[in-house]
Amino acid sequence: MILNNFALQARALLDSLAKPQGSLGRIEEVAVVLARTQGTLSPITKKRRLVLFAADHGVVASGVSAWPSAITEMMIAAIIKGGAASSVLAAETQTDLRLVDVGSLGDAPVSPPQFYRDARVRRSSRDLSIEPALTQDEFNHCWEIGAEEARAASVQGFCVLATGEMGIGNTTPAACLTALLTGSDVSLCVGRGAGADNVVLQRKHEIVQKAVAQNKSQLASNPLKSIAAVSGLEIAAMAGFLAEAAKLNCTVVLDGFVATAAALIAEHLAPGTKHALLSGHQSAEPGHKLALASLELQPVLSFDMRLGEGTGALVVMPLLDQAAAILTRMARLEDIGFARGV
Amino acid sequence: MILNNFALQARALLDSLAKPQGSLGRIEEVAVVLARTQGTLSPITKKRRLVLFAADHGVVASGVSAWPSAITEMMIAAIIKGGAASSVLAAETQTDLRLVDVGSLGDAPVSPPQFYRDARVRRSSRDLSIEPALTQDEFNHCWEIGAEEARAASVQGFCVLATGEMGIGNTTPAACLTALLTGSDVSLCVGRGAGADNVVLQRKHEIVQKAVAQNKSQLASNPLKSIAAVSGLEIAAMAGFLAEAAKLNCTVVLDGFVATAAALIAEHLAPGTKHALLSGHQSAEPGHKLALASLELQPVLSFDMRLGEGTGALVVMPLLDQAAAILTRMARLEDIGFARGV
């Protein structure tokens, strides 16, 4: 676990409370992360906001996904109507939800709500199995949109920020980025995403293998070009969001595999970003574990979730509330009349 | 997982929602348990109540605990004042808290609050390393107090009930009960409780070994006598609570090792109790896994918690809210315009 002075003080405070030391297990670890990321022994967990970034992926045309790109538009509509998993969980966990479209293929929604922003940099990334998915300019544009969202949330008083995504096909760029930025073998980074069968999985593996091989050599000399080539519009936006949010003394909660791939980018281009991060859950995607290890992050939950849409960040929000409550509201051993040696 | 018709219907409903099938992982499993235990596809998770049963244990005199019995009284006072871990987590998770003393050694609190009940059957159990911890009458008396609490909660409209305990030394009877009722080897059932060192652990192991050996043979002929001999006052009360709550179409959430030992008793004396249960967390105590397996229960969380006081039931309450929300408020695939084969 990453430690700073507030982390050490939080640990000492937890050890002084009216319970056996360490007996609240993972809840105590979350409390330490809250103290560390917010730089205080009185961390707060509300107001909080999840910003979802949506986009489509050219590589879907090469057959890497069990679902067609049309689903991205349908899910954007479902989120706008409040019927998506993320809508339901955001409401249930008192988390403000924003949806920022940086590159879906579909038509813009008619009379969209306040929480939706059409900020499309282009309609879908290019097919990374044929050409670079994004130019450096496109990547930077998305990054800046993400950074803007982090600044706006901070100005509006949100202390816990989370990010997630909607984009059919995006576990393919996430696998590329994980292999590229952690140096892991491609076969360890490729999984079934939202339900790929064996044929799709094999094709996905070949595409990721080739894309990583083509872009690995220039990572040191031109990281931006190399990363943009195997990235996605919403992934670039999440990376900018995470890098900026990390500078704002927020606790920044990651969703699963794709959001963590964005965190790898953010840490690569803006070192230190990882110190603000809290990983919500361990996804069922195999590459997620490698990405988290590279960032020195321990996921709070391991729930076999693989939905995306920020759901893996939303489910842990009440556990953050609990951890903050333990740190700030429990009696100490000395308050209840206990002295060592009773 | 235990299934009934509502479980199967809930599974089908979850599969029709606007997400890849099974992609919410453990949250979906919790939703199925809620539907199954409440017998409806629209389970509710509030109002909910945690009933804590407190008592002391004669076996502490034989040196099985890192903490003295005096801590039980201090923790009762801390819960009454609202500074205990369970107080903080109950408030944070909107769970009504009741504290029922069935056998602590201390003085009754001065001007106790409404949520406290002094129902002491005796002051501490006897030392199970020397003589039977409880008579059958004492056991039955405690059981009935627990059952009363379950009925009262149901009458007051609580739909989710949870139980936990406060009682220094109670992982020793819990280890005895787990070995006795699951047939597991004693060495697999004995752990460090709230911080036993190697010397204490060794003594605890010897005491549990002997007590189980003495009481095993009469389990078939006189289960009540055998169970009472290695039990505790708060454990007997929890068992009665669980058996009665199971009859009331509630979802009944278990805390950790000691509460699960009580569930083993309830299932032994009132078969079928397990069908109403939901295990909150996998405790750090080694015997807990064996007890859960015997009851065919999958814990929701594995958080390395070992505090008791119902904390392992409280932490999962918001996850129950989320699971119920997913089951009842999400759009279906057909609602968002998706037909298989798009």
Side-chain angles (χ1 to χ4, degrees):
Chain A
M1 190 189 284
I2 302 157
L3 293 175
N4 66 6
N5 197 30
F6 287 102
L8 296 171
Q9 286 180 47
R11 187 71 262 163
L13 174 53
L14 288 163
D15 284 347
S16 75
L17 300 177
K19 59 175 183 52
Q21 293 191 357
S23 62
L24 282 171
R26 201 69 67 83
I27 294 284
E28 297 192 28
E29 292 172 25
V30 173
V32 170
V33 173
L34 290 172
R36 175 172 60 74
T37 53
Q38 295 182 26
T40 172
L41 293 179
S42 303
I44 53 175
T45 53
K46 290 173 184 167
K47 308 186 304 188
R48 57 194 168 213
R49 171 178 281 176
L50 168 69
V51 183
L52 292 180
F53 295 95
D56 277 305
H57 295 265
V59 73
V60 169
S62 290
V64 293
S65 171
W67 301 68
S69 291
I71 295 289
T72 304
E73 187 182 357
M74 287 182 191
M75 288 313 305
I76 289 172
I79 294 167
I80 287 175
K81 281 190 198 148
S86 53
S87 318
V88 170
L89 292 177
E92 187 58 47
T93 62
Q94 298 95 53
T95 307
D96 186 68
L97 176 66
R98 252 180 93 68
L99 173 60
V100 180
D101 189 344
V102 287
S104 80
L105 284 165
D107 295 327
V110 181
S111 53
Q114 275 274 315
F115 68 82
Y116 170 85
R117 175 181 173 197
D118 186 349
R120 282 186 271 195
V121 170
R122 52 175 284 128
R123 297 209 170 190
S124 175
S125 59
R126 295 174 197 81
D127 184 349
L128 65 82
S129 75
I130 299 170
E131 59 187 325
L134 301 178
T135 66
Q136 295 176 62
D137 276 356
E138 287 160 355
F139 182 94
N140 284 331
H141 191 166
C142 290
W143 175 287
E144 187 44 41
I145 291 166
E148 270 170 38
E149 288 291 332
R151 283 191 295 272
S154 178
V155 167
Q156 290 164 53
F158 292 93
C159 60
V160 172
L161 300 181
T163 191
E165 42 56 45
M166 181 61 229
I168 294 299
N170 64 12
T171 59
T172 295
C176 291
L177 289 161
T178 302
L180 188 71
L181 297 172
T182 69
S184 304
D185 194 83
V186 165
S187 61
L188 302 174
C189 301
V190 177
R192 293 181 190 273
D197 61 19
N198 287 342
V199 173
V200 170
L201 188 65
Q202 177 59 28
R203 192 171 307 143
K204 189 170 169 182
H205 184 273
E206 286 161 14
I207 287 171
V208 173
Q209 185 79 271
K210 185 173 152 221
V212 172
Q214 278 173 342
N215 289 286
K216 198 154 53 176
S217 60
Q218 65 187 347
L219 180 65
S221 59
N222 194 343
L224 197 57
K225 188 175 173 195
S226 176
I227 288 166
V230 297
S231 186
L233 297 150
E234 85 284 35
I235 297 175
M238 284 195 288
F241 178 87
L242 292 168
E244 190 71 16
K247 297 181 191 162
L248 299 168
N249 276 358
C250 300
T251 302
V252 187
V253 185
L254 287 179
D255 188 15
F257 183 45
V258 184
T260 308
L264 288 174
I265 299 178
E267 180 64 23
H268 197 85
L269 300 178
T273 296
K274 68 181 178 185
H275 297 292
L277 303 179
L278 186 152
S279 165
H281 80 122
Q282 171 77 64
S283 145
E285 276 290 292
H288 193 211
K289 192 170 284 201
L290 301 168
L292 289 173
S294 166
L295 294 163
E296 298 176 78
L297 297 176
Q298 291 284 341
V300 177
L301 292 176
S302 191
F303 260 23
D304 281 329
M305 292 169 66
R306 50 183 172 81
L307 176 59
E309 279 181 32
T311 52
L314 292 169
V315 290
V316 302
M317 291 300 181
L319 299 167
L320 271 57
D321 297 337
Q322 293 173 21
I326 289 294
L327 194 61
T328 57
R329 305 208 311 252
M330 255 188 82
R332 294 175 187 234
L333 279 169
E334 62 185 59
D335 299 332
I336 68 162
F338 180 80
R340 283 275 162 203
V342 156
Chain B
M1 189 189 287
I2 303 158
L3 293 175
N4 66 6
N5 197 29
F6 286 103
L8 296 172
Q9 286 179 47
R11 187 71 264 165
L13 174 55
L14 288 163
D15 284 347
S16 75
L17 300 178
K19 59 174 184 54
Q21 293 189 357
S23 61
L24 282 171
R26 202 68 67 84
I27 295 284
E28 298 191 28
E29 292 171 25
V30 173
V32 170
V33 174
L34 290 172
R36 175 171 61 74
T37 52
Q38 295 183 27
T40 172
L41 293 180
S42 303
I44 54 175
T45 53
K46 288 173 186 166
K47 308 187 302 187
R48 56 194 170 213
R49 171 178 280 178
L50 169 68
V51 183
L52 292 179
F53 295 95
D56 277 305
H57 294 265
V59 72
V60 168
S62 290
V64 293
S65 171
W67 301 69
S69 290
I71 295 288
T72 303
E73 185 182 357
M74 287 182 192
M75 288 313 306
I76 289 172
I79 293 167
I80 286 174
K81 281 190 198 148
S86 54
S87 318
V88 170
L89 292 177
E92 187 58 48
T93 61
Q94 297 94 53
T95 306
D96 186 68
L97 176 66
R98 253 181 92 69
L99 173 59
V100 180
D101 188 345
V102 288
S104 80
L105 284 164
D107 294 327
V110 182
S111 54
Q114 275 274 315
F115 67 82
Y116 170 86
R117 175 181 173 196
D118 187 349
R120 282 185 272 196
V121 170
R122 54 176 283 129
R123 297 210 171 190
S124 175
S125 59
R126 296 174 195 82
D127 184 348
L128 64 83
S129 75
I130 299 170
E131 58 187 325
L134 301 179
T135 65
Q136 296 176 61
D137 276 355
E138 288 161 354
F139 181 94
N140 284 332
H141 191 167
C142 290
W143 174 287
E144 188 44 41
I145 290 166
E148 269 172 39
E149 287 291 332
R151 284 191 293 272
S154 177
V155 166
Q156 290 165 52
F158 292 93
C159 60
V160 173
L161 300 181
T163 191
E165 42 55 45
M166 181 62 229
I168 294 298
N170 63 12
T171 59
T172 294
C176 292
L177 289 162
T178 301
L180 188 70
L181 296 172
T182 69
S184 304
D185 195 83
V186 164
S187 61
L188 302 174
C189 301
V190 176
R192 292 180 190 275
D197 62 19
N198 287 342
V199 173
V200 171
L201 188 65
Q202 176 60 26
R203 191 170 308 141
K204 190 170 168 182
H205 183 272
E206 286 161 12
I207 286 171
V208 173
Q209 185 80 269
K210 186 174 151 222
V212 172
Q214 278 173 342
N215 289 285
K216 199 155 52 177
S217 59
Q218 65 185 348
L219 181 65
S221 59
N222 194 344
L224 197 58
K225 188 175 175 196
S226 176
I227 288 167
V230 297
S231 188
L233 297 150
E234 85 284 37
I235 297 175
M238 284 195 289
F241 179 87
L242 292 168
E244 190 71 16
K247 297 182 193 162
L248 299 167
N249 276 357
C250 299
T251 302
V252 187
V253 185
L254 287 179
D255 189 15
F257 182 45
V258 184
T260 308
L264 287 174
I265 299 177
E267 180 64 23
H268 197 85
L269 300 178
T273 295
K274 68 180 179 186
H275 297 293
L277 303 180
L278 187 151
S279 163
H281 80 122
Q282 170 76 66
S283 147
E285 277 289 292
H288 192 211
K289 192 171 287 203
L290 301 169
L292 288 174
S294 165
L295 294 163
E296 298 177 77
L297 296 176
Q298 291 284 339
V300 177
L301 292 175
S302 190
F303 260 23
D304 281 327
M305 292 169 66
R306 50 182 173 81
L307 176 58
E309 277 181 33
T311 54
L314 292 169
V315 290
V316 303
M317 292 299 182
L319 299 168
L320 271 56
D321 296 336
Q322 294 173 21
I326 289 294
L327 194 62
T328 56
R329 306 209 310 252
M330 255 188 83
R332 293 175 187 233
L333 278 170
E334 62 185 60
D335 300 331
I336 68 162
F338 179 79
R340 283 276 162 200
V342 157

